[in-house]
Amino acid sequence: MFDETPLVEIRGLRFGYSGRTIFDGVDIDIQRGKVTAIMGPSGTGKTTLLRLIGGQERPLGGTIRVDGASVPDLPRRKLFELRKRMGMLFQSGALLTDLNVFDNVAFPLREHTALPEIMIRDLVLIKLQAVGLRGARELMPSALSGGMARRVALARAIALDPMLMMYDEPFSGQDPISMGVLVKLIRELNDALGMTTIIVSHDVNETADIADYLYLLSEGKVIEHGTPKRLRQSGSEWTRQFLEGLPDGPVPFHYPAPDFAQELLEFPVS
Amino acid sequence: MIATLQQLGMWALERLERLGRSHLFILRVAVGLPELLARPGLVVQQIFAIGVLSLPIILVAGLFVGMVLALQLYNTMVNFGAEQSLGPVVALSLVRELGPVVTALLFAGRAGSALAAEIGLMKATEQLSSMEMMAVDPLRRIIAPRFAGGVFAMPMLAAMFSAIGISGGFVVATGLLGVDSNAYWSQMQANVDLFDDVVNGVIKSIVFGIVVTWIAVFEGFDALPTSEGVARATTRTVVNSSLAVLGLDFILTALMFGDNG
């Protein structure tokens, strides 16, 4: 029977550093088999949220459970076991620069399985075929474009067939074709491999196109959540400003500053 | 006054905290070392990158140091009619002192800086972070093989430095200064002791290898993940490991040879 409990369950999450609050009581549920997007302006801690789910950061308060396990309380060995079932696509791709494309994708397989090399070869070729880069397997990361590097990193992230796939800003800095390829891949991989997907992004249209559910974060809190259709009809001014990309609104265009006319008339004392 | 004292206190506390962190770091690396026995290929790669690629600078430097040593020592020794003892004096200077120390200084500049920059950049480009998310411990997969490779390569490089230095000294002594070639080698055989001189020199080079590689991998791993952070880590590696080598050399020399007088 299909498990109805959320794969990732975050309750009352608090996190911050250097006196700055990043999250202040955040509740998020990531449903199994769905593509859930976490969106919000730059600097709202979206990437930090992925690092918290992956156990790379420890929360100051609240709970983070992945498949029933409390991530911050897991001993190192158990945490590593859990991470084998998670894939993460970093914004930069984070390919190992001393290995070629093939060896990068083979890396997790060689580290975590005792499969013979012939089988690893087949698995790597299957993953590279899925991202359309089987022909680029001999290339070094320095010879790849940004979009290709991200696709190789994606092939590597799914090498161990994870239950949860996390994408950190997958569309930023991509040309329209690469972006289209990534959008298609993320949705298709989620459905074909039966994964659960979390996308962290501020690219509204691309993300809303493929997401089943959206969370909007700002200033340490969840502002609103729901299906893309429901959020597009939201009455909240903040949500409308964010989703429609309006330059001014509840999030002001200007950084807080004294009165402009007053400041122009003042002579700086040096 | 109080502010200055506070700043001094903060500075000292930060240094102490970093020192403590570096010890915990090397302990965690040491725990991962036995696993490398199952994957010797990782260490061999690093011995190549750290040791073999450092050979040109070590060999050229060793040759010139040996040649200069022979010239300088001859000028003094000839005044005492002791020029036939040039061989052992060159050999002892190299094996006991210059071999390990100069090799360690060159090693810090060539291999230590490269290690710190490589690891720092891996951190800055999220490679270490991605490895952690792939459930691979970077301390075991990246740091431990580099540490083992450095510690293994350093004594070999020091031995080659001394060997080529002695050969350079021989060329100058016999070809340029007219020292008898048999005297150069036989006096050396008679006066250089395997345990007192050669083994002590090897112990020094092993200690320097551990210290320089430790500083290099720690500085790289602890670097701020920015271009400035990596630059600082590289500089600190060369400066700190050079000073550590010179300071440790005094301590080791005092312990090994201090009671001869």
Side-chain angles (χ1 to χ4, degrees):
Chain A
M1 186 163 160
F2 191 71
D3 191 349
E4 290 290 335
T5 58
L7 182 65
V8 181
E9 202 176 65
I10 298 172
R11 289 288 174 274
L13 175 66
R14 285 194 305 108
F15 183 77
Y17 48 79
S18 312
R20 190 177 153 227
T21 302
I22 308 286
F23 298 120
D24 186 15
V26 165
D27 297 339
I28 290 176
D29 281 338
I30 308 290
Q31 301 298 338
R32 291 172 197 266
K34 303 274 193 228
V35 176
T36 305
I38 316 278
M39 305 184 80
S42 302
T44 36
K46 301 185 297 293
T47 303
T48 309
L49 185 68
L50 294 187
R51 293 177 65 86
L52 282 158
I53 295 171
Q56 289 191 297
E57 304 278 1
R58 290 181 67 83
L60 298 177
T63 58
I64 302 169
R65 304 185 80 84
V66 176
D67 203 21
S70 172
V71 176
D73 301 325
L74 285 178
R76 197 171 169 78
R77 189 181 293 269
K78 289 252 173 74
L79 179 62
F80 271 39
E81 284 303 318
L82 183 66
R83 282 183 187 163
K84 286 182 197 168
R85 296 158 64 209
M86 291 178 175
M88 179 147 164
L89 182 71
F90 284 75
Q91 196 172 348
S92 61
L95 294 176
L96 303 173
T97 45
D98 57 338
L99 302 179
N100 67 14
V101 166
F102 182 94
D103 290 332
N104 259 291
V105 181
F107 183 83
L109 294 165
R110 287 181 178 143
E111 290 293 321
H112 295 308
T113 69
L115 293 174
E117 201 54 31
I118 184 82
M119 221 161 171
I120 286 181
R121 180 181 172 275
D122 289 352
L123 283 172
V124 171
L125 293 183
I126 290 169
K127 304 297 174 188
L128 283 174
Q129 175 75 3
V131 298
L133 290 175
R134 186 167 48 83
R137 61 179 179 272
E138 299 296 333
L139 296 181
M140 293 303 285
S142 55
L144 302 174
S145 69
M148 286 165 83
R150 230 168 269 191
R151 279 151 69 191
V152 174
L154 178 52
R156 184 179 68 176
I158 57 168
L160 291 173
D161 293 326
M163 61 172 179
L164 173 65
M165 188 63 213
M166 297 187 279
Y167 297 87
D168 184 8
E169 299 286 3
F171 312 120
S172 68
Q174 299 294 305
D175 63 67
I177 299 173
S178 302
M179 202 179 284
V181 169
L182 279 166
V183 168
K184 176 173 165 281
L185 272 175
I186 291 173
R187 184 75 240 187
E188 284 184 1
L189 285 174
N190 184 78
D191 298 344
L193 301 178
M195 296 189 300
T196 301
T197 299
I198 306 175
I199 306 175
V200 144
S201 177
H202 49 220
D203 292 289
V204 173
N205 293 329
E206 290 73 20
T207 311
D209 274 356
I210 50 168
D212 298 307
Y213 205 81
L214 297 181
Y215 277 88
L216 298 183
L217 290 184
S218 181
E219 294 178 1
K221 297 203 178 292
V222 174
I223 301 283
E224 210 168 348
H225 59 97
T227 60
K229 193 176 165 195
R230 198 186 75 72
L231 289 192
R232 281 192 195 283
Q233 293 160 354
S234 164
S236 153
E237 269 192 63
W238 191 96
T239 304
R240 227 170 58 81
Q241 186 191 0
F242 184 77
L243 292 181
E244 292 177 20
L246 305 174
D248 214 347
V251 181
F253 171 70
H254 288 289
Y255 192 80
D259 183 63
F260 188 37
Q262 187 70 35
E263 202 164 6
L264 286 176
L265 292 172
E266 278 174 9
F267 288 101
V269 183
S270 56
Chain B
M1 178 66 186
I2 294 291
T4 314
L5 274 176
Q6 269 182 339
Q7 276 178 350
L8 193 68
M10 282 290 286
W11 180 85
L13 278 177
E14 276 170 20
R15 291 292 173 285
L16 274 175
E17 193 229 327
R18 206 151 184 271
L19 194 65
R21 226 171 39 238
S22 73
H23 280 80
L24 289 175
F25 167 85
I26 204 66
L27 271 177
R28 284 177 60 197
V29 172
V31 170
L33 287 176
E35 284 175 22
L36 293 174
L37 292 173
R39 302 175 76 179
L42 289 177
V43 184
V44 172
Q45 269 177 7
Q46 294 309 319
I47 292 174
F48 178 79
I50 298 169
V52 177
L53 296 183
S54 299
L55 265 180
I57 186 175
I58 297 291
L59 293 181
V60 172
L63 184 70
F64 281 109
V65 167
M67 284 165 38
V68 169
L69 207 56
L71 274 175
Q72 289 283 9
L73 290 172
Y74 180 85
N75 282 337
T76 309
M77 291 172 80
V78 78
N79 293 334
F80 301 99
E83 65 271 24
Q84 298 307 322
S85 296
L86 191 61
V89 179
V90 167
L92 286 176
S93 310
L94 281 165
V95 169
R96 281 181 173 191
E97 206 54 53
L98 291 172
V101 172
V102 178
T103 305
L105 294 177
L106 293 170
F107 184 74
R110 163 65 182 75
S113 58
L115 275 177
E118 184 192 16
I119 296 167
L121 274 172
M122 288 180 94
K123 190 177 178 187
T125 52
E126 294 183 307
Q127 293 182 53
L128 298 184
S129 216
S130 74
M131 224 174 247
E132 276 195 357
M133 279 308 294
M134 285 187 278
V136 176
D137 186 351
L139 285 184
R140 295 181 181 207
R141 181 61 176 71
I142 297 292
I143 308 294
R146 282 162 176 75
F147 181 70
V151 173
F152 196 76
M154 173 60 209
M156 306 237 231
L157 291 171
M160 283 186 236
F161 182 97
S162 295
I164 199 146
I166 290 168
S167 309
F170 173 77
V171 171
V172 169
T174 55
L176 205 65
L177 306 170
V179 174
D180 180 61
S181 68
N182 287 331
Y184 189 88
W185 294 119
S186 61
Q187 291 272 350
M188 197 186 299
Q189 279 178 328
N191 291 298
V192 178
D193 186 80
L194 175 66
F195 290 101
D196 283 350
D197 304 316
V198 178
V199 171
N200 277 337
V202 171
I203 291 172
K204 271 188 180 182
S205 60
I206 292 172
V207 173
F208 295 160
I210 292 172
V211 171
V212 172
T213 319
W214 173 12
I215 291 175
V217 291
F218 175 70
E219 289 292 353
F221 197 77
D222 203 49
L224 283 176
T226 59
S227 40
E228 194 201 358
V230 176
R232 277 175 153 206
T234 314
T235 308
R236 270 208 300 255
T237 296
V238 177
V239 173
N240 291 352
S241 50
S242 301
L243 292 177
V245 163
L246 295 172
L248 272 172
D249 182 49
F250 173 74
I251 295 170
L252 288 172
T253 307
L255 288 174
M256 290 169 175
F257 309 107
D259 58 353
N260 286 357

